[in-house]
Amino acid sequence: LLLAMTSPSASDNNPGTTPHIQDICIGRCYDYSQIKYKSVLPQASGSCEELADKFFTAFSHQPPCSLSMAHYQPFMDAAKQALPEDKALFWSGVKQLAHEYAGDGRRFVTLEDTLIGYLVDGLVWCGQGSPPGQNYSRCPSWNDCPLESSESFWAAASKAFAESARGRVTVMTDGSRADRPAYRRDSFFGKYELPFLNKALVTSVDVILTHPLDQPAVETCENGSLVQLMQDVTARGFNFNCEDDPQAILHLLCADDPVIRECQLVT
Ligand code: C8R
């Protein structure tokens, strides 16, 4: 057991490409367009087979460590949807809570509520030069190489999502983490979303700063990295609003932990 735990590198345990990845994408796409988001969001122009094929082609037969964002562009173009005004929700470090709040596109729309994110969220993929063109036994980790297949995918997807946001945009982030600030210029949000918001289409950036019920607030809307976020937002010409623990989020958190002291005060 000790040997296994101290063996060469933890990344050797990385899984390879998800088996049946193309079929999963096709199935998810039909679920998305026929059932789950049928009357929630405008649909994409490409057919499900075409989208799955464009995604698969983007990384197949490519070396896993040299995949640029441009490889995914044909997929992004075919899967792109118009976003409803005031609905885009970005997040950093609070994926699950942001998705609970978004409510499958009913309250807000996250990248995973768009076809581009929905088709591949949770999947693993990487290519290889030798047949069959996909590596099903091991994909590199994000630290192994700068342009690992799925990192450049999420970078391209985040950028496309930010470019289509209109009106007020919302970003949810965590102000209680000791290991990293709520806003970082090198997070996906800081690097691929905020800089690509369209100045002519977006009016304001509304920040929801959350703090887990049992953890002290390391940062609030008035201090720490939120000050830098305000500066970065206003420098681009957008209005900036920030709210610590809005009631709606508190109620969501309390649904999971109703007896905790903080939830006794919710009226
Ligand atoms: N976004 C980025 N990364 C995403 C993602 C997504 O929608 N969906 C998944 N599954 N991932 P983080 P961040 C994966 O530190 O860096 C968009 C990637 O593996 O919690 O600011 C989204 O629109 C990535 O490493 O947040 C959101 O607004 C982690 O999950 C930001 O970018 C997310 O890392 C979130 O990116």
Side-chain angles (χ1 to χ4, degrees):
L1 179 68
L2 192 64
L3 250 182
M5 285 170 68
T6 54
S7 66
S9 112
S11 59
D12 281 338
N13 299 325
N14 280 352
T17 301
T18 308
H20 310 290
I21 189 165
Q22 251 181 319
D23 291 338
I24 293 174
C25 287
I26 294 174
R28 283 185 177 185
C29 175
Y30 279 116
D31 177 35
Y32 187 97
S33 54
Q34 301 297 325
I35 302 164
K36 200 164 173 200
Y37 292 88
K38 190 173 181 175
S39 26
V40 180
L41 285 175
Q43 298 295 319
S45 58
S47 74
C48 287
E49 283 75 10
E50 183 190 340
L51 294 179
D53 188 60
K54 284 194 154 75
F55 170 66
F56 197 65
T57 308
F59 72 90
S60 294
H61 304 283
Q62 302 294 326
C65 273
S66 62
L67 203 64
S68 71
M69 288 161 68
H71 272 96
Y72 290 107
Q73 207 52 51
F75 168 72
M76 301 285 162
D77 290 343
K80 211 171 164 125
Q81 297 157 280
L83 286 186
E85 200 168 351
D86 301 336
K87 290 276 196 174
L89 177 63
F90 304 99
W91 49 268
S92 210
V94 283
K95 184 179 180 188
Q96 193 189 332
L97 184 61
H99 285 131
E100 281 172 25
Y101 187 41
D104 296 332
R106 282 181 300 114
R107 297 190 196 94
F108 286 98
V109 176
T110 67
L111 176 51
E112 288 76 17
D113 296 311
T114 70
L115 200 48
I116 289 174
Y118 190 80
L119 290 196
V120 303
D121 190 28
L123 306 182
V124 176
W125 66 91
C126 62
Q128 63 181 28
S130 55
Q134 306 81 35
N135 188 332
Y136 290 96
S137 43
R138 182 186 180 278
C139 287
S141 80
W142 288 41
N143 301 326
D144 289 346
C145 42
L147 281 173
E148 182 266 325
S149 348
S150 48
E151 178 170 0
S152 53
F153 174 88
W154 288 113
S158 301
K159 181 168 168 280
F161 181 58
E163 284 168 346
S164 15
R166 300 184 293 129
R168 309 179 76 94
V169 305
T170 306
V171 51
M172 187 188 286
T173 183
D174 185 345
S176 287
R177 305 234 340 206
D179 60 335
R180 63 182 207 190
Y183 170 62
R184 291 172 301 140
R185 283 183 175 164
D186 65 352
S187 69
F188 272 79
F189 172 72
K191 214 160 135 189
Y192 299 112
E193 295 182 323
L194 182 57
F196 294 101
L197 293 175
N198 186 321
K199 288 187 177 156
L201 299 179
V202 170
T203 54
S204 75
V205 175
D206 300 344
V207 179
I208 295 178
L209 189 61
T210 68
H211 304 91
L213 295 172
D214 54 352
Q215 285 173 35
V218 176
E219 295 180 301
T220 70
C221 280
E222 269 73 51
N223 65 33
S225 62
L226 281 303
V227 176
Q228 176 164 66
L229 178 55
M230 182 187 71
Q231 288 164 354
D232 287 354
V233 165
T234 51
R236 292 188 161 82
F238 307 127
N239 293 318
F240 176 85
N241 301 290
C242 182
E243 192 178 354
D244 288 288
D245 306 305
Q247 284 282 306
I249 303 301
L250 202 55
H251 284 278
L252 268 184
L253 293 172
C254 284
D256 282 331
D257 208 351
V259 297
I260 199 168
R261 184 178 52 87
E262 287 76 0
C263 297
Q264 308 310 309
L265 305 173
V266 175
T267 50

